[in-house]
Amino acid sequence: MTTVFEALESNVRGYCRYWPTVFTTARGAWLRDEAGRDYLDFFAGAGALNYGHNNPVLKAALLHYLAEDGVTHALDMSTTAKRDLLETLRDVVLVPRGLDYKVQFPGPTGTNAVEAALKLARKVTGRIPIVHFTNAFHGMTLGALAVTGNAAKRAGAGVPLPHGYPLPYDGCLGGVDDLLWLERAVDDVSSGLDRPAAVIVETVQGEGGVNLARPSWLRRLAEICRARGILLIVDDVQMGCGRTGPFFSFESAGITPDIVTLSKSIGGYGLPMALVLMRPDLDQWAPGEHNGTFRGNNAAFVTARVALRRYWSDDGLATATAAKGERVRRALTELAERFDGLSTRGRGLVHGLVFDDASRAGKVSRAAFEAGLLVETSGARDEVVKLLPPLTVGEDELDHGLGLLAGAVEVVCAG
Ligand code: PMP
């Protein structure tokens, strides 16, 4: 029988095809479907649910706010919810890290934050090119697509995507000093590269296949940019909010980007919200120059604030993430040792199981679903099974999920 999803929902739908069931409720690291079957969720809303589904602390704050008729929609009007969030962001996140940023609320998606960051970089520098990296993913709107690697996604634009300048991401050329060209090209007036406004980079490429940039590579990139007046944008939409351990994914590299984009888990509850953080002197926007009806998702401001207070007032979550990540790394390394054509890489609680035979990753993801585990694939050829459990996942749940994954790998690779 044809479902209403098949009959009515556009062909563009994606995840419902990979996970062909109808979900009803969710709690913590678990999703339940309408047949009453439970699935362990190692996808976590593609990184939007770092604190789990319906996190009880955030839910209580949200329900209270709604019960009191708190403002839910306010564009960028001032509200108590926004004031409380800004103060919390300053006191819990920025000041303790010695970070001096102004805060912009763009429309509530990652791609909107990226658009704002690119626009601002071009406005401030008066330059046009943006350097980006192979396998990068920055979003689906035209500016963000122009700095995204994936050919199929780029083709979807239907118009030329100019003014991006792609360079190899760390490790892409297998040990070659891949930043040398950036350095040379910017300094050489005859290189053909007009001086870029900015470089945009993910410290770990989530959609691109869990590719990790080394801290030393990031530091060198930051130094090249700094010395030449090129702005460094770190897109922390997926890897921020503790995914790699620390709140910002760039902290461990010891770099301070000029602009940072955040979305996904910053709202805390899976509620849409995005932020652009910028060096104060870069805040050269005219009022309303970049706007959007849903800049003021105040319900998300409430859950964002409570999440920051609850999880980032000390280093408990970051420490736990490192320990859980180590558990994942050990389990995946064991798997990679057992089966040919399999390797693993990751940081914090983002890990990839990389298959030489790309088709196996999709098969493993499907077998995992059959066994009750949600894991998606990523990478240029969808060759990587990407693990993104909620950071709040219990150790037992983690072990259970890793066991289900091992079973799925066995089914696919031992057969
Ligand atoms: N940047 C990065 C690094 C992302 O991973 C994503 C989403 N996967 C985006 C930007 C775009 O975010 P959104 O889908 O909310 O527009």
Side-chain angles (χ1 to χ4, degrees):
M1 202 182 66
T2 310
T3 67
V4 70
F5 307 108
E6 290 154 340
L8 204 56
E9 192 179 350
S10 160
N11 204 43
V12 78
R13 66 194 189 279
Y15 286 113
C16 54
R17 299 174 196 268
Y18 313 140
W19 299 319
T21 188
V22 181
F23 296 102
T24 51
T25 56
R27 184 113 206 243
W30 294 90
L31 274 161
R32 179 167 291 176
D33 72 9
E34 61 187 351
R37 180 147 198 240
D38 290 321
Y39 297 82
L40 193 49
D41 183 3
F42 280 13
F43 167 63
L49 291 161
N50 282 6
Y51 315 113
H53 293 271
N54 286 303
N55 180 299
V57 179
L58 310 187
K59 180 155 86 177
L62 180 62
L63 289 176
H64 176 73
Y65 185 74
L66 296 177
E68 299 286 304
D69 284 341
V71 170
T72 54
H73 181 273
L75 291 111
D76 63 353
M77 289 179 257
S78 295
T79 60
T80 49
K82 186 155 69 167
R83 180 169 59 207
D84 293 347
L85 169 62
L86 283 168
E87 288 174 354
T88 304
L89 184 73
R90 180 193 62 203
D91 297 344
V92 172
V93 175
L94 300 180
V95 171
R97 290 167 180 78
L99 293 171
D100 187 13
Y101 285 130
K102 293 285 289 291
V103 181
Q104 177 182 359
F105 295 89
T109 61
T111 200
N112 208 308
V114 169
E115 291 293 336
L118 299 179
K119 277 191 195 178
L120 185 65
R122 286 175 167 138
K123 178 181 163 100
V124 169
T125 61
R127 302 180 215 132
I128 294 175
I130 307 280
V131 169
H132 56 100
F133 292 98
T134 49
N135 283 309
F137 185 92
H138 297 292
M140 287 289 106
T141 47
L142 292 184
L145 255 189
V147 291
T148 287
N150 187 289
K153 296 283 189 288
R154 290 175 66 88
V159 293
L161 294 171
H163 310 309
Y165 190 79
L167 286 180
Y169 192 67
D170 190 18
C172 182
L173 298 180
V176 171
D177 178 6
D178 44 28
L179 287 176
L180 190 58
W181 173 244
L182 174 62
E183 212 171 13
R184 294 271 168 86
V186 173
D187 291 345
D188 181 348
V189 289
S190 193
S191 69
L193 171 65
D194 295 331
R195 184 164 286 243
V199 170
I200 185 165
V201 67
E202 301 154 273
T203 64
V204 177
Q205 295 179 324
E207 304 303 319
V210 192
N211 306 312
L212 316 179
R214 287 164 302 163
S216 57
W217 186 87
L218 288 167
R219 279 194 291 276
R220 174 128 186 271
L221 178 64
E223 183 48 33
I224 291 172
C225 290
R226 196 201 56 76
R228 291 161 182 82
I230 299 165
L231 299 177
L232 179 64
I233 304 169
V234 169
D235 180 352
D236 236 2
V237 164
Q238 188 165 149
M239 295 304 148
C241 304
R243 176 52 60 187
T244 67
F247 184 81
F248 294 110
S249 71
F250 53 82
E251 285 177 57
S252 36
I255 60 169
T256 305
D258 301 297
I259 301 176
V260 182
T261 55
L262 287 173
S263 184
K264 294 199 190 264
S265 277
I266 188 65
Y269 200 68
L271 293 178
M273 181 183 152
L275 295 179
V276 181
L277 309 179
M278 67 201 81
R279 243 174 45 204
D281 61 296
L282 301 178
D283 186 19
Q284 295 173 24
W285 287 116
E289 190 176 357
H290 185 88
N291 61 33
T293 305
F294 286 107
R295 277 170 292 168
N297 185 3
N298 277 243
F301 296 169
V302 171
T303 49
R305 168 181 52 84
V306 176
L308 294 180
R309 276 258 173 256
R310 166 68 181 80
Y311 292 107
W312 296 102
S313 291
D314 58 34
D315 61 4
L317 183 66
T319 308
T321 297
K324 288 173 193 168
E326 185 50 30
R327 224 178 169 89
V328 176
R329 197 192 58 75
R330 274 202 306 271
L332 297 189
T333 304
E334 216 170 89
L335 266 182
E337 279 163 4
R338 268 176 61 202
F339 296 99
D340 287 340
L342 196 54
S343 59
T344 183
R345 55 189 180 231
R347 182 176 293 159
L349 268 176
V350 49
H351 287 263
L353 206 46
V354 189
F355 291 82
D356 290 352
D357 172 357
S359 71
R360 290 191 160 180
K363 288 180 190 151
V364 166
S365 173
R366 275 189 293 282
F369 172 73
E370 295 301 326
L373 175 72
L374 304 186
V375 279
E376 75 163 332
T377 58
S378 74
R381 295 173 297 124
D382 276 327
E383 73 281 18
V384 181
V385 170
K386 181 171 79 165
L387 278 73
L388 220 60
L391 306 182
T392 50
V393 67
E395 289 190 352
D396 288 355
E397 292 169 329
L398 203 52
D399 290 346
H400 179 58
L402 290 166
L404 295 177
L405 180 69
V409 172
E410 264 165 41
V411 166
V412 173
C413 295

